[in-house]
Amino acid sequence: MSKTLHLEQYLQTLGGRVTCKRCQARSKRTLDQCGAPAMVSKNVCRFHGGKSTGPTSEGGRQRCAQSRWLHGNETASMRMERSIASAKLALLESVGFEFGIMSGLKSRGPKPRRMAQVLPELHDLVQRLRSQKMPSA
């Protein structure tokens, strides 16, 4: 059963005499919209980040730019490391199928873009093997 995700834009306060923007934050658990008014020129209330101005000192801005947190505990360097490992695995899989070492189903989905960068000599070898197997037209 899915709930309709409709957000109310405005809120009536002071017995219907004042109309203001409503906070657009939602509860993760109940999916209910926050009942507080949004701050002036913001989409969320003070409890959901409307008062936040971000880092104000130069050192704070540098630390924020340097950390590059993407989601939770994942950094750009961790993401790059996982991407390279995925590219190595895909390249080794393609080599295994080219030499007949592996059989069965290949991994689904698009191949990583970094395959040529991780082990260039192995990638070139696979490309040469594929070109030799292709019959000339």
Side-chain angles (χ1 to χ4, degrees), residues 106-121:
K106 292 184 179 181
S107 296
R108 294 175 45 186
K111 298 300 176 214
R113 285 179 265 153
R114 290 187 168 76
M115 282 178 67
Q117 297 171 357
V118 290
L119 299 169
E121 57 279 348

PDB file of all heavy atoms in Angstrom, residues 106-121:
ATOM      1  N   LYS A 106      27.706 -14.081 -18.022  1.00  0.00           N
ATOM      2  CA  LYS A 106      28.570 -12.950 -17.705  1.00  0.00           C
ATOM      3  C   LYS A 106      27.824 -12.019 -16.753  1.00  0.00           C
ATOM      4  O   LYS A 106      26.604 -12.088 -16.619  1.00  0.00           O
ATOM      5  CB  LYS A 106      28.939 -12.194 -18.975  1.00  0.00           C
ATOM      6  CG  LYS A 106      29.830 -12.998 -19.888  1.00  0.00           C
ATOM      7  CD  LYS A 106      30.251 -12.169 -21.074  1.00  0.00           C
ATOM      8  CE  LYS A 106      31.167 -12.973 -21.977  1.00  0.00           C
ATOM      9  NZ  LYS A 106      31.608 -12.202 -23.124  1.00  0.00           N
ATOM     10  N   SER A 107      28.559 -11.137 -16.116  1.00  0.00           N
ATOM     11  CA  SER A 107      27.948 -10.158 -15.208  1.00  0.00           C
ATOM     12  C   SER A 107      27.007  -9.259 -15.987  1.00  0.00           C
ATOM     13  O   SER A 107      27.304  -8.851 -17.116  1.00  0.00           O
ATOM     14  CB  SER A 107      29.013  -9.303 -14.534  1.00  0.00           C
ATOM     15  OG  SER A 107      29.819 -10.108 -13.719  1.00  0.00           O
ATOM     16  N   ARG A 108      25.897  -8.927 -15.343  1.00  0.00           N
ATOM     17  CA  ARG A 108      24.908  -8.072 -15.992  1.00  0.00           C
ATOM     18  C   ARG A 108      25.307  -6.611 -15.889  1.00  0.00           C
ATOM     19  O   ARG A 108      26.096  -6.225 -15.055  1.00  0.00           O
ATOM     20  CB  ARG A 108      23.562  -8.267 -15.310  1.00  0.00           C
ATOM     21  CG  ARG A 108      23.007  -9.644 -15.509  1.00  0.00           C
ATOM     22  CD  ARG A 108      21.745  -9.843 -14.731  1.00  0.00           C
ATOM     23  NE  ARG A 108      20.836  -8.710 -14.873  1.00  0.00           N
ATOM     24  CZ  ARG A 108      19.702  -8.592 -14.205  1.00  0.00           C
ATOM     25  NH1 ARG A 108      19.350  -9.513 -13.356  1.00  0.00           N
ATOM     26  NH2 ARG A 108      18.933  -7.558 -14.377  1.00  0.00           N
ATOM     27  N   GLY A 109      24.705  -5.811 -16.742  1.00  0.00           N
ATOM     28  CA  GLY A 109      24.867  -4.366 -16.657  1.00  0.00           C
ATOM     29  C   GLY A 109      26.011  -3.843 -17.499  1.00  0.00           C
ATOM     30  O   GLY A 109      26.782  -4.592 -18.093  1.00  0.00           O
ATOM     31  N   PRO A 110      26.120  -2.513 -17.529  1.00  0.00           N
ATOM     32  CA  PRO A 110      27.192  -1.894 -18.314  1.00  0.00           C
ATOM     33  C   PRO A 110      28.552  -2.138 -17.667  1.00  0.00           C
ATOM     34  O   PRO A 110      28.669  -2.262 -16.457  1.00  0.00           O
ATOM     35  CB  PRO A 110      26.841  -0.407 -18.297  1.00  0.00           C
ATOM     36  CG  PRO A 110      26.005  -0.226 -17.087  1.00  0.00           C
ATOM     37  CD  PRO A 110      25.265  -1.519 -16.885  1.00  0.00           C
ATOM     38  N   LYS A 111      29.560  -2.198 -18.484  1.00  0.00           N
ATOM     39  CA  LYS A 111      30.912  -2.417 -17.988  1.00  0.00           C
ATOM     40  C   LYS A 111      31.469  -1.093 -17.450  1.00  0.00           C
ATOM     41  O   LYS A 111      31.147  -0.021 -17.951  1.00  0.00           O
ATOM     42  CB  LYS A 111      31.828  -2.943 -19.097  1.00  0.00           C
ATOM     43  CG  LYS A 111      31.380  -4.281 -19.644  1.00  0.00           C
ATOM     44  CD  LYS A 111      31.344  -5.336 -18.563  1.00  0.00           C
ATOM     45  CE  LYS A 111      30.806  -6.641 -19.073  1.00  0.00           C
ATOM     46  NZ  LYS A 111      30.056  -7.360 -18.076  1.00  0.00           N
ATOM     47  N   PRO A 112      32.346  -1.149 -16.451  1.00  0.00           N
ATOM     48  CA  PRO A 112      32.930   0.079 -15.892  1.00  0.00           C
ATOM     49  C   PRO A 112      33.734   0.842 -16.934  1.00  0.00           C
ATOM     50  O   PRO A 112      34.369   0.254 -17.810  1.00  0.00           O
ATOM     51  CB  PRO A 112      33.839  -0.426 -14.775  1.00  0.00           C
ATOM     52  CG  PRO A 112      33.335  -1.779 -14.443  1.00  0.00           C
ATOM     53  CD  PRO A 112      32.750  -2.328 -15.704  1.00  0.00           C
ATOM     54  N   ARG A 113      33.740   2.163 -16.819  1.00  0.00           N
ATOM     55  CA  ARG A 113      34.448   3.012 -17.778  1.00  0.00           C
ATOM     56  C   ARG A 113      35.956   2.980 -17.570  1.00  0.00           C
ATOM     57  O   ARG A 113      36.711   3.328 -18.451  1.00  0.00           O
ATOM     58  CB  ARG A 113      33.960   4.445 -17.654  1.00  0.00           C
ATOM     59  CG  ARG A 113      32.597   4.643 -18.272  1.00  0.00           C
ATOM     60  CD  ARG A 113      32.156   6.055 -18.100  1.00  0.00           C
ATOM     61  NE  ARG A 113      31.334   6.079 -16.890  1.00  0.00           N
ATOM     62  CZ  ARG A 113      31.174   7.121 -16.117  1.00  0.00           C
ATOM     63  NH1 ARG A 113      31.753   8.249 -16.405  1.00  0.00           N
ATOM     64  NH2 ARG A 113      30.420   7.058 -15.049  1.00  0.00           N
ATOM     65  N   ARG A 114      36.405   2.592 -16.404  1.00  0.00           N
ATOM     66  CA  ARG A 114      37.831   2.631 -16.091  1.00  0.00           C
ATOM     67  C   ARG A 114      38.574   1.352 -16.474  1.00  0.00           C
ATOM     68  O   ARG A 114      39.709   1.156 -16.059  1.00  0.00           O
ATOM     69  CB  ARG A 114      38.013   2.876 -14.601  1.00  0.00           C
ATOM     70  CG  ARG A 114      37.631   4.250 -14.182  1.00  0.00           C
ATOM     71  CD  ARG A 114      37.988   4.492 -12.741  1.00  0.00           C
ATOM     72  NE  ARG A 114      37.896   5.877 -12.388  1.00  0.00           N
ATOM     73  CZ  ARG A 114      36.767   6.522 -12.173  1.00  0.00           C
ATOM     74  NH1 ARG A 114      35.631   5.882 -12.299  1.00  0.00           N
ATOM     75  NH2 ARG A 114      36.760   7.786 -11.849  1.00  0.00           N
ATOM     76  N   MET A 115      37.972   0.474 -17.248  1.00  0.00           N
ATOM     77  CA  MET A 115      38.612  -0.810 -17.575  1.00  0.00           C
ATOM     78  C   MET A 115      39.940  -0.612 -18.293  1.00  0.00           C
ATOM     79  O   MET A 115      40.897  -1.340 -18.052  1.00  0.00           O
ATOM     80  CB  MET A 115      37.682  -1.676 -18.421  1.00  0.00           C
ATOM     81  CG  MET A 115      36.609  -2.359 -17.611  1.00  0.00           C
ATOM     82  SD  MET A 115      35.470  -3.327 -18.583  1.00  0.00           S
ATOM     83  CE  MET A 115      36.485  -4.626 -19.180  1.00  0.00           C
ATOM     84  N   ALA A 116      40.035   0.364 -19.172  1.00  0.00           N
ATOM     85  CA  ALA A 116      41.271   0.588 -19.920  1.00  0.00           C
ATOM     86  C   ALA A 116      42.344   1.224 -19.047  1.00  0.00           C
ATOM     87  O   ALA A 116      43.527   1.136 -19.348  1.00  0.00           O
ATOM     88  CB  ALA A 116      41.004   1.475 -21.125  1.00  0.00           C
ATOM     89  N   GLN A 117      41.945   1.856 -17.933  1.00  0.00           N
ATOM     90  CA  GLN A 117      42.906   2.555 -17.089  1.00  0.00           C
ATOM     91  C   GLN A 117      43.543   1.662 -16.036  1.00  0.00           C
ATOM     92  O   GLN A 117      44.686   1.892 -15.645  1.00  0.00           O
ATOM     93  CB  GLN A 117      42.217   3.721 -16.368  1.00  0.00           C
ATOM     94  CG  GLN A 117      41.680   4.775 -17.289  1.00  0.00           C
ATOM     95  CD  GLN A 117      40.821   5.776 -16.552  1.00  0.00           C
ATOM     96  OE1 GLN A 117      40.591   5.648 -15.365  1.00  0.00           O
ATOM     97  NE2 GLN A 117      40.334   6.766 -17.278  1.00  0.00           N
ATOM     98  N   VAL A 118      42.835   0.634 -15.567  1.00  0.00           N
ATOM     99  CA  VAL A 118      43.342  -0.125 -14.425  1.00  0.00           C
ATOM    100  C   VAL A 118      44.526  -1.016 -14.779  1.00  0.00           C
ATOM    101  O   VAL A 118      45.551  -0.985 -14.124  1.00  0.00           O
ATOM    102  CB  VAL A 118      42.228  -0.950 -13.739  1.00  0.00           C
ATOM    103  CG1 VAL A 118      41.280  -0.049 -13.029  1.00  0.00           C
ATOM    104  CG2 VAL A 118      41.511  -1.854 -14.688  1.00  0.00           C
ATOM    105  N   LEU A 119      44.418  -1.815 -15.795  1.00  0.00           N
ATOM    106  CA  LEU A 119      45.510  -2.676 -16.255  1.00  0.00           C
ATOM    107  C   LEU A 119      45.608  -2.521 -17.772  1.00  0.00           C
ATOM    108  O   LEU A 119      45.093  -3.334 -18.535  1.00  0.00           O
ATOM    109  CB  LEU A 119      45.241  -4.137 -15.883  1.00  0.00           C
ATOM    110  CG  LEU A 119      45.113  -4.427 -14.381  1.00  0.00           C
ATOM    111  CD1 LEU A 119      44.585  -5.828 -14.149  1.00  0.00           C
ATOM    112  CD2 LEU A 119      46.441  -4.235 -13.697  1.00  0.00           C
ATOM    113  N   PRO A 120      46.276  -1.475 -18.258  1.00  0.00           N
ATOM    114  CA  PRO A 120      46.250  -1.167 -19.695  1.00  0.00           C
ATOM    115  C   PRO A 120      46.816  -2.288 -20.574  1.00  0.00           C
ATOM    116  O   PRO A 120      46.273  -2.562 -21.647  1.00  0.00           O
ATOM    117  CB  PRO A 120      47.077   0.104 -19.824  1.00  0.00           C
ATOM    118  CG  PRO A 120      47.630   0.413 -18.512  1.00  0.00           C
ATOM    119  CD  PRO A 120      47.045  -0.519 -17.510  1.00  0.00           C
ATOM    120  N   GLU A 121      47.895  -2.944 -20.120  1.00  0.00           N
ATOM    121  CA  GLU A 121      48.476  -3.989 -20.971  1.00  0.00           C
ATOM    122  C   GLU A 121      47.539  -5.184 -21.104  1.00  0.00           C
ATOM    123  O   GLU A 121      47.416  -5.784 -22.173  1.00  0.00           O
ATOM    124  CB  GLU A 121      49.846  -4.430 -20.443  1.00  0.00           C
ATOM    125  CG  GLU A 121      49.871  -4.943 -19.008  1.00  0.00           C
ATOM    126  CD  GLU A 121      49.912  -3.844 -17.956  1.00  0.00           C
ATOM    127  OE1 GLU A 121      50.146  -2.684 -18.300  1.00  0.00           O
ATOM    128  OE2 GLU A 121      49.694  -4.168 -16.789  1.00  0.00           O
TER     129      GLU A 121
END
